[in-house]
Amino acid sequence: MSTETKGRKCAGKRRYRTLQQALATVERLVAAGAYRERLNAYPCQFCGGHHVGHLGPNTGRRKRT
Ligand SMILES: [Zn+2]
């Protein structure tokens, strides 16, 4: 199928120099009402920086009843 293994997957994303900054952004978003579970701060292997990812609204990974 598609072979887009190389390239900048993070193009256009907000980049943070340190993981601390990315985590601080997560905290800010959480404080603003976002769900912490849906935010993901991670180091980027493409640009060497860090990004804050957003998980979809419907990630039904864990199903508890
Ligand atoms: Zn990146």
Side-chain angles (χ1 to χ4, degrees):
M1 290 160 77
S2 68
T3 58
E4 52 175 41
T5 43
K6 89 171 162 179
R8 2 187 152 173
K9 298 238 172 176
C10 60
K13 276 195 171 186
R14 179 70 186 267
R15 179 168 48 192
Y16 302 93
R17 286 175 58 196
T18 66
L19 183 59
Q20 264 68 31
Q21 287 183 342
L23 289 173
T25 298
V26 169
E27 294 299 325
R28 201 173 308 163
L29 291 172
V30 169
Y35 287 99
R36 187 190 302 270
E37 301 176 345
R38 293 180 183 175
L39 297 174
N40 179 35
Y42 60 94
C44 180
Q45 58 179 315
F46 298 105
C47 68
H50 296 76
H51 298 297
V52 174
H54 299 255
L55 301 180
N58 215 357
T59 56
R61 267 291 175 83
R62 39 180 147 154
K63 207 173 186 180
R64 283 185 192 169
T65 47

